[in-house]
């Protein structure tokens, strides 16, 4: 065989490989190797949020959802506690992330666990999972109610005030999510733990619990609609609204912190590797090969103009499935002298911080975290990429 014919065969072999790969994409097979891993610098602490203000006897001191608005660089977060079967908390309002020493703190009654939080131009929205049976609570024993609070109301409140969601006040509202079943509004009963603003005020992306899905995370869109004169929080459930972000991490034994989306950066989905659970005998279990309470991975999906496959999941066909890049946040190796700096670093919620540098628009991440370690406490942090890049897609 001549060298010339050998070269032709090599070209033919390469062409066949590309045809096969393209065919796999067309048939909806997920190719996982296209994801990029991004390393990050040690998170920079913006502020510390203490436990000292919480009532004695609190069984939970969780720093929960967080939301950030580019308008005036305002930031909101909640630190919740369980006491006597109720979940109340302290709501923190920072007028500017450039001055985190200036803030207001309010007691917020019946906020639940406040796992998710987002903002639009007029309101703060909080997911309100709660186990309380208190008759005054607007969301007794629920996993999916949405609290909406006027931002102007928050800004004008006196420091130390109480926001009592069990009372009547036009500045806040608690939505019981619903969905359209034909022409009928039906109560939506699945758990909502993630929420982020979508492309316009009053529109959202929320998580979608889905029993048929085993290797990814499902989301759908939602919006506030006025129906018969009443505002309703409507969950969309058509195949066109639902999409999936593939789980290309090392494990599926992770927690589900709150998500963040922007129309120039895409969707960020944090996952914490410190997940534990109880077995039937009440023993604590964990993934021994991947458990790390100081590690999180943020899945970064380009749902704006990125590629996806169309797959059949359960009875649904043509569901968009995105393969995300991965942002690694692992603080295990940071030291204070000879002592590990962190023993526990649970990322709870993430937001996008837009800024201008050298006349170029850039974006870093901000997140809330529950922290333990060598004189370490809960707080808000800023995250940068080690390679000097940022988190903008467009």
């Amino acid at each position: 065989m001549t060298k010339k014919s050998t070269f032709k065969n090599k070209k033919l072999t390469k062409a066949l490989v590309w045809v096969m790969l393209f065919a796999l994409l067309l048939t909806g097979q997920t190719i996982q190797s296209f994801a990029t891993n991004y390393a990050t610098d040690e998170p920079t602490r913006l502020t510390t949020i203490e436990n000292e203000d919480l009532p004695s006897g609190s069984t939970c001191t969780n720093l929960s959802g967080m939301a950030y608005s580019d308008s005036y660089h305002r930031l909101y977060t909640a630190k919740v506690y369980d006491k006597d079967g109720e979940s109340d908390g302290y709501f923190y309002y920072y007028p500017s992330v450039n001055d985190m020493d200036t803030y207001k703190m309010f007691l917020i009654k019946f906020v639940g666990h406040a796992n998710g939080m987002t903002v639009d131009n007029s309101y703060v929205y909080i997911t309100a999972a709660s186990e309380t049976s208190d008759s005054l609570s607007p969301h007794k024993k629920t996993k999916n109610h949405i609290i909406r609070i006027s931002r102007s109301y928050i800004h004008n409140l006196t420091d130390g005030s109480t926001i009592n969601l069990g009372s009547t006040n036009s500045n806040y509202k608690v939505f019981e999510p619903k969905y359209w079943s034909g022409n009928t509004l039906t109560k939506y009963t699945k758990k909502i733990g993630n929420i982020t603003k979508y492309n316009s005020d009053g529109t959202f992306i929320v998580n979608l619990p889905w029993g048929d899905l085993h290797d990814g995370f499902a989301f759908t869109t939602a919006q506030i609609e006025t129906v018969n004169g009443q505002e309703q929080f409507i969950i969309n459930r058509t195949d066109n609204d639902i999409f999936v972000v593939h789980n290309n991490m090392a494990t599926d034994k992770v927690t589900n912190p709150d998500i963040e989306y922007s129309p120039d950066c895409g969707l960020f989905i944090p996952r914490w590797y410190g997940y534990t659970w109880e077995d039937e005998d009440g023993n604590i279990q964990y993934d021994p090969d991947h458990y790390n309470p100081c590690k999180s991975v943020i899945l970064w999906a380009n749902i704006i103009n990125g590629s996806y496959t169309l797959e059949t999941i359960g009875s649904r066909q043509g569901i968009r499935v995105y393969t995300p890049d991965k942002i690694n946040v692992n603080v295990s190796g940071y030291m204070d002298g000879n002592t590990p700096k962190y023993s526990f670093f649970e990322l709870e919620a993430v937001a996008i911080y837009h800024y201008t540098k050298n006349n170029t628009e850039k974006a870093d991440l901000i997140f809330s975290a529950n922290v333990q370690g060598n004189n370490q406490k809960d707080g808000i942090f800023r995250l940068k990429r080690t390679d000097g890049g940022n988190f903008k897609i467009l």
Side-chain angles (χ1 to χ4, degrees):
M1 183 179 290
T2 65
K3 291 182 178 179
K4 186 174 182 181
S5 62
T6 300
F7 178 69
K8 284 183 177 179
N9 285 337
K10 285 182 178 179
K11 287 177 69 178
L12 179 60
T13 300
K14 289 181 178 179
L16 287 172
V17 168
W18 282 111
V19 169
M20 290 173 66
L21 286 174
F22 187 64
L24 284 173
L25 284 172
L26 289 179
T27 55
Q29 301 297 317
T30 302
I31 298 177
Q32 302 176 22
S33 59
F34 293 159
T36 301
N37 291 295
Y38 293 96
T40 56
D41 294 331
E42 180 180 357
T44 301
R45 182 182 288 273
L46 299 181
T47 192
T48 295
I49 298 180
E50 305 275 2
N51 286 339
E52 281 77 358
D53 293 324
L54 301 181
S56 61
S58 300
T59 57
C60 173
T61 58
N62 189 48
L63 186 60
S64 295
M66 180 196 68
Y68 170 75
S69 170
D70 283 320
S71 174
Y72 301 102
H73 303 297
R74 288 170 173 161
L75 186 142
Y76 312 81
T77 191
K79 191 173 186 64
V80 301
Y81 59 88
D82 293 340
K83 183 175 172 55
D84 300 327
E86 297 179 2
S87 291
D88 298 335
Y90 288 104
F91 186 89
Y92 294 80
Y93 161 53
Y94 296 87
S96 173
V97 295
N98 298 315
D99 179 17
M100 297 293 280
D101 291 330
T102 300
Y103 66 94
K104 295 180 183 179
M105 183 179 73
F106 316 113
L107 174 65
I108 184 165
K109 296 284 294 180
F110 306 114
V111 73
H113 286 285
N115 296 106
M117 190 182 300
T118 193
V119 298
D120 62 17
N121 285 329
S122 300
Y123 299 101
V124 176
Y125 302 85
I126 307 171
T127 65
S130 177
E131 294 293 340
T132 183
S133 57
D134 193 312
S135 60
L136 296 177
S137 172
H139 45 84
K140 295 180 286 294
K141 290 189 177 296
T142 182
K143 296 293 184 182
N144 66 357
H145 282 198
I146 307 295
I147 298 166
R148 184 183 71 182
I149 308 176
S150 165
R151 288 178 63 179
S152 61
Y153 168 71
I154 293 169
H155 301 166
N156 291 322
L157 271 179
T158 302
D159 182 44
S161 298
T162 296
I163 302 172
N164 186 354
L165 299 173
S167 63
T168 300
N169 190 313
S170 61
N171 292 297
Y172 43 79
K173 180 179 177 66
V174 179
F175 290 97
E176 181 180 55
K178 297 177 181 177
Y179 67 94
W180 286 108
S181 178
N183 294 321
T184 303
L185 271 184
T186 303
K187 185 177 179 180
Y188 184 81
T189 58
K190 293 184 178 181
K191 180 179 179 180
I192 300 175
N194 297 154
I195 187 171
T196 183
K197 177 187 172 182
Y198 196 26
N199 288 323
S200 59
D201 285 1
T203 64
F204 311 92
I205 296 172
V206 296
N207 65 293
L208 179 71
W210 195 352
D212 291 322
L213 181 63
H214 303 292
D215 63 348
F217 306 101
F219 302 91
T220 190
T221 57
Q223 66 280 331
I224 293 175
E225 298 178 14
T226 300
V227 181
N228 296 326
Q230 296 291 322
E231 286 185 305
Q232 304 284 354
F233 193 97
I234 306 296
I235 305 293
N236 299 318
R237 307 205 315 166
T238 70
D239 293 354
N240 289 333
D241 295 304
I242 296 170
F243 66 93
V244 169
V245 176
H246 176 63
N247 179 14
N248 54 3
M249 298 182 297
T251 180
D252 62 356
K253 300 297 188 293
V254 289
T255 63
N256 301 310
D258 197 27
I259 61 176
E260 178 77 348
Y261 167 84
S262 87
D264 64 346
C265 294
L267 181 65
F268 297 88
I269 309 164
R271 294 295 181 255
W272 180 54
Y273 276 54
Y275 177 62
T276 62
W277 66 94
E278 287 189 6
D279 62 18
E280 294 179 353
D281 299 321
N283 300 313
I284 299 298
Q285 301 292 322
Y286 60 93
D287 181 349
D289 295 323
H290 301 104
Y291 174 79
N292 184 344
C294 289
K295 177 181 178 180
S296 295
V297 170
I298 303 173
L299 301 181
W300 183 13
N302 181 2
I303 66 170
I304 306 165
N305 58 4
S307 60
Y308 54 85
T309 59
L310 295 176
E311 302 191 15
T312 297
I313 303 174
S315 61
R316 293 182 176 269
Q317 298 180 347
I319 298 298
R320 289 168 291 147
V321 179
Y322 296 87
T323 296
D325 292 332
K326 293 180 287 186
I327 303 165
N328 297 305
V329 187
N330 189 342
V331 301
S332 302
Y334 295 108
M335 307 290 288
D336 274 338
N338 296 323
T339 304
K341 192 170 185 179
Y342 306 102
S343 60
F344 184 97
F345 200 93
E346 181 185 9
L347 199 156
E348 282 286 349
V350 65
I352 301 166
Y353 175 72
H354 290 88
Y355 63 101
T356 301
K357 184 176 181 179
N358 298 327
N359 296 319
T360 301
E361 294 295 322
K362 293 182 175 292
D364 292 339
L365 297 182
I366 299 175
F367 64 84
S368 58
N370 296 314
V371 181
Q372 298 173 19
N374 188 19
N375 297 316
Q376 298 296 320
K377 297 180 180 181
D378 301 347
I380 308 295
F381 298 81
R382 183 174 177 178
L383 188 69
K384 292 178 174 287
R385 283 169 45 173
T386 301
D387 61 8
N390 69 98
F391 297 104
K392 280 179 65 69
I393 292 173
L394 302 180

